[in-house]
Amino acid sequence: MDFKTQAIGPGGLAAIAADALLVVVGGQAVPAPLEGALGTVLKAAATDGDFSFKAGQLLYAHRVAGVKAPRVAFAAAGDGSLKNLRRAVAAGVALLKSGGARHLVVAAVGVGELGAAQAEAVVAAVSEAVYLYRHTKPSAPAASRLARVGLACSKAEAAGVGAGLLRGQAIAAGVELAREMANRPGNHCTPTHLAAETRRLGKALGLKVEVLERKDVAKLGMGAFLAVAQGSEQAPKFIVARWQGAARDVAPVVLVGKGITFDTGGISIKPAAEMDEMKFDMGGAASVLGTLHAVAALKARVNLVGIIPACENMPDGRAVKPGDVVTSLSGQTIEILNTDAEGRLILCDALTYAERFKPAAVIDIATLTGACVIALGHHRSGLFSADDALAGELLAAGDAALDPAWRMPLDDEYDEALKSNFADMGNVGGRAGGAITAAMFLRRFTAKLRWAHLDIAGTAWKSGAAKGATGRPVALLAHYVLAQAR
Ligand code: BES
Ligand code: MN
Ligand code: ZN
């Protein structure tokens, strides 16, 4: 889909030649700039009780006399905040996408001045609404006909809006890639498939891609990663992809994404209900690919390394057992008390591996704990970091990207739960504060790093009728990484 600015003069909306016009309306009454036929329709609908100005409210009108675009939708944006703007556009596009329109113009009135942030929010809403999964469902209705979207703005706003559209499109493409990869089922999206897709992305965007095989990681000493992988017939892959957009001596940001392509729990097997959703357990890996995509597409002047330890967690005659002790790449030993706490086992070796890049910051992203879903629900990702500055930057990036996180504690007291009589640590700490003890486990491998951890167990996908990957937290990560550009 192609997004462009569409400069219009005052009162020019009715004259716009497009297949559909989406008018986003901020405030609690028909805004003054909305004059003529459009204003008349909206005023009448409000008077008749068919339109209210509550964010997300919709009104559709077909072939309005005096309006050139044959399809008109109004969508209320309440106070005009970024969040409500995005919500209004999402609702409007959901209404229009199945119709005959190919060229849509979005206009926003009563929401204040339009800039890059507003443009980005509009792109995010449109591309989220039109994404369609087809990989294993070729019979799905053909993709929306919408091919062109214009964002109406004044001449003065055009430069900022144009820049926001470009940035927004790169981020939206990254979000879409993450959704697509995470939606693919476990028998399609294997570690080998993830590696192949990373190589394809590398060729298309100029990334250096390296894939370590089982024998390579064994030679390095990644005993924790290998312990998880050993119960599966699928070959594990340790994927490293690098974008070099800044000078060689600029320390990179390293993203580490949990790439469990299916999590049965292993010998500590999970119950059957909703186990299918454990195909999404590579959502962290998918977000790393999506962020690499966005950053490389923008040719951002940053150095970015993506590390993806990828494997399946399966029960098997050769699978790791509760009580087994393994030696991690760091040299620390781990008693695997619960084979379902596998994410931290693959991440700890990847975090140690990240040291070799002498990174400016390392952020791991993982669908790590059900406990995080209980703590924060599905709106905010859990953010853990002992570094206040890094935590602040990531929280700000999440707010700006409408992909918010919430900071969680890492007090030393929580570490006591990980004590083991047979190894340097156990891999679980009991039910209390489960998201925190998981983060404390990872913390034991990050003493040499400026590190943050994002637990996306509640935000990476939706369950129920709308079951599917969200592409989060690509927008948060892209905002953070792009802010490091020099
Ligand atoms: N991938 C799961 C976490 C998960 C569970 C995310 C449900 C979203 C929904 C992870 O590998 C896991 O199984 N964690 C365990 C840890 C426990 C054994 C300490 C959990 O959360 O139950
Ligand atoms: Mn698990
Ligand atoms: Zn898992």
Side-chain angles (χ1 to χ4, degrees), residues 8-192:
I8 52 151
L13 282 182
I16 282 181
D19 301 329
L21 182 61
L22 171 58
V23 186
V24 173
V25 183
Q28 294 307 314
V30 177
L34 203 61
E35 46 191 31
L38 289 165
T40 306
V41 166
L42 192 61
K43 230 169 257 163
T47 309
D48 294 345
D50 293 301
F51 184 77
S52 87
F53 292 87
K54 231 182 104 219
Q57 288 290 305
L58 288 171
L59 176 73
Y60 180 76
H62 204 74
R63 294 203 180 272
V64 178
V67 178
K68 196 158 187 189
R71 304 168 189 85
V72 178
F74 297 92
D79 62 4
S81 67
L82 226 44
K83 195 163 151 178
N84 281 335
L85 173 65
R86 178 173 173 159
R87 200 167 143 201
V89 174
V93 173
L95 183 77
L96 293 166
K97 70 174 177 184
S98 53
R102 298 179 56 84
H103 178 202
L104 166 72
V105 169
V106 179
V109 287
V111 303
E113 206 180 314
L114 294 184
Q118 284 73 18
E120 220 181 285
V122 168
V123 177
V126 175
S127 46
E128 179 177 349
V130 302
Y131 166 78
L132 195 79
Y133 175 78
R134 298 182 65 91
H135 189 68
T136 49
K137 197 178 178 182
S139 67
S144 166
R145 282 198 241 185
L146 271 186
R148 259 174 82 199
V149 180
L151 180 50
C153 62
S154 70
K155 268 203 176 127
E157 294 166 332
V161 168
L165 291 180
L166 284 179
R167 201 174 128 110
Q169 285 179 91
I171 296 173
V175 169
E176 184 169 323
L177 172 67
R179 289 176 79 178
E180 178 61 31
M181 294 313 299
N183 280 336
R184 294 183 182 178
N187 64 328
H188 287 249
C189 187
T190 59
T192 301

Side-chain angles (χ1 to χ4, degrees), residues 258 260 263 270 278 281 313 340 342-343 367-368:
K258 174 178 172 182
I260 295 289
D263 181 12
K270 288 181 179 295
M278 285 298 117
D281 212 16
N313 186 22
D340 198 11
E342 85 297 339
T367 49
L368 201 63

Side-chain angles (χ1 to χ4, degrees), residues 106-469:
V106 179
V109 287
V111 303
E113 206 180 314
L114 294 184
Q118 284 73 18
E120 220 181 285
V122 168
V123 177
V126 175
S127 46
E128 179 177 349
V130 302
Y131 166 78
L132 195 79
Y133 175 78
R134 298 182 65 91
H135 189 68
T136 49
K137 197 178 178 182
S139 67
S144 166
R145 282 198 241 185
L146 271 186
R148 259 174 82 199
V149 180
L151 180 50
C153 62
S154 70
K155 268 203 176 127
E157 294 166 332
V161 168
L165 291 180
L166 284 179
R167 201 174 128 110
Q169 285 179 91
I171 296 173
V175 169
E176 184 169 323
L177 172 67
R179 289 176 79 178
E180 178 61 31
M181 294 313 299
N183 280 336
R184 294 183 182 178
N187 64 328
H188 287 249
C189 187
T190 59
T192 301
H193 182 72
L194 270 184
E197 289 291 312
T198 308
R199 283 211 166 93
R200 214 165 56 91
L201 188 68
K203 283 219 178 74
L205 290 167
L207 308 171
K208 281 188 203 133
V209 177
E210 190 187 357
V211 178
L212 306 189
E213 307 293 332
R214 193 194 297 267
K215 61 178 187 330
D216 304 318
V217 294
K219 200 183 245 172
L220 283 168
M222 293 194 187
F225 174 47
L226 281 171
V228 178
Q230 77 191 38
S232 171
E233 296 288 329
Q234 290 291 338
K237 302 281 170 179
F238 192 91
I239 305 163
V240 183
R242 307 169 67 170
W243 164 251
Q244 192 173 353
R248 278 186 180 282
D249 60 346
V250 175
V253 171
V254 176
L255 303 179
V256 178
K258 174 178 172 182
I260 295 289
T261 58
F262 196 83
D263 181 12
T264 65
I267 297 299
S268 314
I269 198 162
K270 288 181 179 295
E274 276 119 54
M275 207 211 268
D276 65 291
E277 296 188 3
M278 285 298 117
K279 73 172 184 177
F280 296 121
D281 212 16
M282 36 59 74
S287 77
V288 170
L289 293 180
T291 305
L292 279 163
H293 184 106
V295 168
L298 288 168
K299 301 206 183 314
R301 297 162 73 87
V302 291
N303 292 334
L304 179 63
V305 180
I307 301 179
I308 297 171
C311 68
E312 277 184 344
N313 186 22
M314 298 289 279
D316 182 77
R318 276 171 302 191
V320 72
K321 304 173 296 298
D324 285 1
V325 174
V326 298
T327 304
S328 65
L329 179 59
S330 73
Q332 299 178 92
T333 58
I334 303 162
E335 184 186 12
I336 299 179
L337 291 163
N338 188 323
T339 66
D340 198 11
E342 85 297 339
R344 61 199 78 180
L345 295 172
I346 71 170
L347 291 171
C348 70
D349 280 347
L351 287 166
T352 302
Y353 189 84
E355 286 174 10
R356 70 180 55 205
F357 297 105
K358 300 192 171 34
V362 178
I363 303 153
D364 77 72
I365 310 100
T367 49
L368 201 63
T369 65
C372 193
V373 189
I374 302 301
L376 293 175
H378 300 288
H379 297 297
R380 286 181 185 264
S381 304
L383 168 68
F384 301 79
S385 181
D387 188 307
D388 290 341
L390 180 58
E393 288 172 50
L394 287 165
L395 288 174
D399 288 341
L402 300 177
D403 184 2
W406 192 258
R407 193 168 177 189
M408 301 277 282
L410 279 178
D411 301 285
D412 291 333
E413 286 82 351
Y414 290 106
D415 191 75
E416 282 155 31
L418 297 172
K419 280 187 179 147
S420 160
N421 291 344
F422 304 104
D424 292 330
M425 70 198 88
N427 77 327
V428 291
R431 271 166 58 78
I436 308 169
T437 51
M440 293 305 291
F441 178 94
L442 297 177
R443 194 183 178 185
R444 285 177 173 234
F445 298 84
T446 61
K448 295 177 189 154
L449 300 170
R450 185 160 175 260
W451 162 77
H453 157 60
L454 284 164
D455 193 332
I456 57 166
T459 53
W461 75 90
K462 290 179 182 161
S463 307
K467 191 190 290 181

